[in-house]
Amino acid sequence: MTSQGEVPPKESAASSPRPQGRFIRFAVYFAILVVVGVVGFAAFAWRPSIAEGPTPTAASFSPVLIEQGARLAASGFCASCHSVAGGKPFAGGYAMKSGFGTIYSTNISPDRETGIGAWTEEAFRRAMHEGVARDGSHLFPAFPYDHFTKLSDSDIHALYAYMMTRTPVSQRDHPNEMIFPFGIRSLQAGWKLLFFRAGRFVPDTQESPLWNRGAYVAEGLSHCSACHTPRGPLGEELKNRLYQGAVVDGWFAPALTAANPSPMPWTTDELQRYLTTGISKYHGTAAGPMATVSRELADVPPEDQRALVAYIESLSSGDSRTAEVNPVVATALKSDAQDHTRIREAGGRLFVSACASCHYNRAPDVNPERPDLGLNTAIFLDDPRNLIHVILDGISAKDGAPGIVMPGFARGMTNEDVALVASYLRATRTDKAPWPDLAKQVAQIRAEEQGAKP
Ligand code: HEC
Ligand code: HEC
Ligand code: HEC
């Protein structure tokens, strides 16, 4: 035979291929896998667009239905998120910052070109229940559809009637400023796969109808846990730490469970006043992002307010601790009663000169218009930021009790001064560990606030 006979037979070539051949084959398999993966994910992520429809006329809805929608919109804070200060209602443009970039709320007024005027009720319902826009694109969970998915079809119907009868505003949506790749809408399908379960509210048959109504309002409509529950690395609410407190918009939304650090229990009475008027006798004022919430809750029908209060009370069983109220008040009043002329430390002297003229209370009880700092959650939280915000900015006339203000000390106090007063209150009003690095945190919050101002 010729030298060809020395060429290894084909079979053995297959059993010990050249490394290059093996690589090509691997590359081909890998490419097929990627294509199948991408096509599969695209098919999974794809949602059809829903055709435009005529904008319904006001006459097509009963006034009662529109009024019901208005109350639901108040409980769902639609206006707070979909309007900006000085802007037209529901025209969007409200900026929501996160670690993934800035998302701007959209125009949900019934303008056909720039708002949702061309959305049918089916498209609106799908957005609320599944977080999908009319054109089939996935919405970001900055829009709390993970809560609105719990809403009944009849409530969605009322909300649709309300939204479609607002004044149309022509205003283009502000483009989002997201960090790559978080701005890719189809990737939201992956987020949904991991963290989102669509489905209506399921009542707990062990609980009363009042409690269940409150759970529906809190979980479905008012999405209290969106601020009060810590979030994981992808922005998902950690369901095993529901209502255990979280940072939101530079503030700390305290735990609403038994882990709430105020010595004063959150009883039905306290919650009722705090949530619906923004000021409670013992816990003080709803400030920061919570001020907006309590202003909106003031417009919620009384029966829904009561239900919400009953549900929130159950998170910490505040009513079972009413026996603690008087002793806790007595302890707080003792701090207020001390002789100011004997206070020597720098923080204490600052407190006497800057704060004590307003923040004093006398036995037998506290004055609701002068929050007792020995009861206020801000002094007891592990995170000092709420107290720092209040000292720097005060409480404006539109928050808390009508007509009552607390001046801000941003101009009058240095970072060290603010840190001294905060440390003094922490040391004299609580048994908690001192806050570390306070002056640095004050400087940081000051810088953030200045950056936030236009
Ligand atoms: C916490 C803030 C927040 C609240 C509260 C909120 N929204 Fe939104 N909403 C958003 C953001 C942000 C978007 C845009 C999401 C995106 O671009 O993916 C949005 C989008 C929408 C969309 C889709 C519109 C579009 O142009 O694609 C609808 C519809 C909507 N919201 C209705 C409502 C209604 C009704 C309520 C009250 C029941 C409400 N929203 C409450 C933040 C909010
Ligand atoms: C936009 C974010 C946000 C939403 C939504 C929100 N909260 Fe809050 N909440 C806060 C912040 C921030 C504070 C701290 C305010 C302060 O220090 O004055 C707070 C404070 C509170 C407090 C007082 C806690 C304490 O110990 O001082 C209660 C009670 C409360 N919220 C209940 C609710 C309920 C009930 C809902 C739903 C109806 C709700 N919150 C929705 C952000 C929010
Ligand atoms: C001119 C009177 C006045 C002075 C001075 C003053 N406060 Fe206040 N403070 C108030 C009032 C009034 C409220 C309640 C506001 C409301 O409910 O509208 C308040 C509320 C507070 C709260 C409660 C906020 C909440 O979320 O519940 C804290 C904390 C506080 N003040 C700390 C201080 C400290 C610290 C100082 C000194 C650096 C100080 N205040 C100086 C009047 C004052």
Side-chain angles (χ1 to χ4, degrees):
M1 293 295 281
T2 63
S3 61
Q4 273 177 4
E6 278 149 64
V7 174
K10 278 222 158 105
E11 292 78 14
S12 66
S15 61
S16 69
R18 284 158 302 165
Q20 202 189 350
R22 211 185 326 174
F23 174 75
I24 290 172
R25 203 175 312 174
F26 173 75
V28 168
Y29 285 150
F30 185 72
I32 291 174
L33 214 73
V34 168
V35 170
V36 169
V38 167
V39 171
F41 183 78
F44 162 74
W46 184 81
R47 296 289 182 283
S49 97
I50 295 175
E52 294 193 345
T55 314
T57 59
S60 55
F61 305 112
S62 76
V64 173
L65 185 70
I66 296 172
E67 178 52 32
Q68 188 195 336
R71 289 159 164 211
L72 292 164
S75 315
F77 318 134
C78 318
S80 319
C81 264
H82 281 277
S83 320
V84 292
K88 300 248 169 61
F90 303 113
Y94 176 81
M96 297 177 74
K97 291 202 184 94
S98 73
F100 313 109
T102 304
I103 296 183
Y104 293 84
S105 68
T106 51
N107 183 342
I108 56 166
S109 79
D111 184 59
R112 290 191 66 82
E113 293 301 316
T114 61
I116 60 168
W119 289 37
T120 57
E121 184 168 336
E122 184 196 355
F124 180 77
R125 192 185 319 117
R126 184 176 68 169
M128 299 292 283
H129 279 162
E130 296 171 37
V132 176
R134 190 194 63 75
D135 65 4
S137 58
H138 289 279
L139 293 162
F140 296 113
F143 165 45
Y145 65 82
D146 52 336
H147 292 275
F148 297 152
T149 190
K150 297 193 165 76
L151 297 182
S152 67
D153 285 359
S154 60
D155 278 355
I156 298 280
H157 179 56
L159 274 168
Y160 182 71
Y162 175 71
M163 289 315 312
M164 287 296 154
T165 48
R166 296 310 89 203
T167 309
V169 183
S170 174
Q171 180 177 305
R172 297 244 163 253
D173 289 335
H174 193 298
N176 293 331
E177 291 143 7
M178 304 287 280
I179 298 163
F180 182 81
F182 300 111
I184 301 174
R185 288 196 178 270
S186 55
L187 291 185
Q188 292 306 314
W191 191 92
K192 288 178 177 174
L193 184 67
L194 291 171
F195 305 121
F196 172 62
R197 299 291 165 266
R200 306 302 87 78
F201 176 75
V202 182
D204 182 341
T205 49
Q206 309 282 22
E207 299 284 353
S208 68
L210 184 74
W211 185 95
N212 273 305
R213 177 69 194 167
Y216 177 79
V217 172
E219 304 298 337
L221 203 48
S222 301
H223 52 276
C224 313
S225 82
C227 289
H228 284 273
T229 297
R231 290 178 186 262
L234 290 175
E236 76 281 12
E237 283 178 36
L238 299 174
K239 298 293 177 201
N240 57 348
R241 293 172 61 195
L242 265 182
Y243 294 111
Q244 291 189 14
V247 173
V248 54
D249 293 344
W251 286 72
F252 194 85
L256 302 181
T257 60
N260 183 281
S262 168
M264 179 58 75
W266 278 105
T267 58
T268 296
D269 198 30
E270 279 286 282
L271 281 167
Q272 175 70 32
R273 293 199 232 179
Y274 182 89
L275 291 174
T276 62
T277 68
I279 184 154
S280 74
K281 183 169 171 187
Y282 295 127
H283 289 93
T285 307
M290 192 59 202
T292 324
V293 171
S294 66
R295 272 201 300 276
E296 298 244 29
L297 290 178
D299 294 335
V300 165
E303 59 278 16
D304 273 1
Q305 291 179 342
R306 271 197 302 279
L308 180 65
V309 165
Y311 174 70
I312 299 294
E313 185 277 329
S314 77
L315 299 176
S316 68
S317 306
D319 286 348
S320 68
R321 293 173 52 204
T322 42
E324 294 168 33
V325 171
N326 288 339
V328 165
V329 169
T331 307
L333 290 175
K334 232 181 265 168
S335 318
D336 290 338
Q338 57 184 313
D339 179 357
H340 285 160
T341 60
R342 301 177 74 110
I343 297 175
R344 289 283 165 268
E345 66 262 57
R349 289 211 308 276
L350 268 169
F351 172 78
V352 170
S353 60
C355 323
S357 59
C358 296
H359 288 287
Y360 65 94
N361 278 287
R362 294 226 174 85
D365 209 350
V366 308
N367 177 340
E369 293 183 348
R370 280 198 298 263
D372 196 290
L373 301 182
L375 305 175
N376 200 266
T377 304
I379 320 277
F380 290 82
L381 285 169
D382 289 340
D383 191 324
R385 68 179 77 215
N386 292 3
L387 179 58
I388 296 173
H389 278 298
V390 171
I391 298 179
L392 288 177
D393 300 328
I395 310 251
S396 73
K398 67 184 198 323
D399 301 335
I404 293 181
V405 298
M406 164 170 157
F409 291 86
R411 292 230 174 84
M413 282 189 172
T414 65
N415 296 340
E416 284 69 28
D417 290 343
V418 176
L420 281 171
V421 173
S423 304
Y424 167 78
L425 287 170
R426 181 82 164 172
T428 53
R429 269 44 175 193
T430 81
D431 51 5
K432 308 263 177 194
W435 284 311
D437 291 331
L438 258 179
K440 222 160 85 190
Q441 288 199 61
V442 180
Q444 206 175 328
I445 288 175
R446 225 189 252 271
E448 280 166 18
E449 288 187 351
Q450 268 151 13
K453 281 183 192 130

